[in-house]
Amino acid sequence: QVQLVESGGGSVQAGGSLRLSCAYSGFKSNTNCMGWFRQTADKEREGVAAIGTGGGAIYYATSIQGRFTISHDNIKNTLFLQLSSLQPEDTATYYCAARPRYWCDYDWSPISKYTDWGQGTQVTVSS
């Protein structure tokens, strides 16, 4: 059973940075597509970035504009999202998600493709 546990959220001022972590366990394969998503009360959940634990391409939402960096550590079984130059519109609950036994591809962002989700971590950016 796949388990995903996010941490690292918090409150920062505009222009600040945070690093989110997602500890994962339970994968039966070394090839898994993992993604970060975010959601606010008035918007649908949207993809932020995706990366494969077995390598391959990294994908970002165009709205991120180079401010966020996704990475993973297969030794520590942890997925990361470095958030930089944060703006108030980045305020959201951020979720880690997994698509076990799949490579990430250009069509990475539909939430229906991900079968496992963490509980979310809140990021609040004040102006």
Side-chain angles (χ1 to χ4, degrees), residues 5 17 22 30 34 41-43 45 47 70-71 77 80-81 85 88 92 100-101 107-109 112 114 122 127:
V5 180
S17 300
C22 172
N30 290 329
M34 298 197 71
D42 59 346
K43 291 184 179 179
R45 193 168 298 188
I70 190 172
S71 62
N77 287 348
F80 300 102
L81 185 68
S85 301
R101 293 194 283 263
D107 194 28
W108 61 274
S109 63
S112 59
Y114 295 81
Q122 179 67 34
S127 58

Side-chain angles (χ1 to χ4, degrees), residues 21-40:
S21 299
C22 172
Y24 55 82
S25 62
F27 287 131
K28 296 182 179 179
S29 168
N30 290 329
T31 300
N32 309 284
C33 181
M34 298 197 71
W36 284 100
F37 294 76
R38 65 184 182 183
Q39 187 172 21
T40 59

Side-chain angles (χ1 to χ4, degrees), residues 6-123:
E6 301 100 332
S7 61
S11 297
V12 297
Q13 291 189 328
S17 300
L18 283 172
R19 188 172 83 155
L20 307 183
S21 299
C22 172
Y24 55 82
S25 62
F27 287 131
K28 296 182 179 179
S29 168
N30 290 329
T31 300
N32 309 284
C33 181
M34 298 197 71
W36 284 100
F37 294 76
R38 65 184 182 183
Q39 187 172 21
T40 59
D42 59 346
K43 291 184 179 179
E44 293 185 351
R45 193 168 298 188
E46 64 172 358
V48 174
I51 189 171
T53 59
I58 295 174
Y59 299 90
Y60 292 98
T62 55
S63 61
I64 302 307
Q65 298 178 331
R67 298 182 296 121
F68 299 172
T69 303
I70 190 172
S71 62
H72 69 91
D73 184 331
N74 280 347
I75 303 298
K76 296 181 179 179
N77 287 348
T78 304
L79 178 73
F80 300 102
L81 185 68
Q82 179 68 44
L83 312 175
S84 302
S85 301
L86 283 162
Q87 300 300 316
E89 54 265 35
D90 296 316
T91 295
T93 302
Y94 285 71
Y95 297 89
C96 169
R99 191 182 180 205
R101 293 194 283 263
Y102 281 91
W103 295 94
C104 293
D105 60 26
Y106 70 95
D107 194 28
W108 61 274
S109 63
I111 61 173
S112 59
K113 291 190 172 184
Y114 295 81
T115 55
D116 301 280
W117 293 83
Q119 81 287 354
T121 186
Q122 179 67 34
V123 172

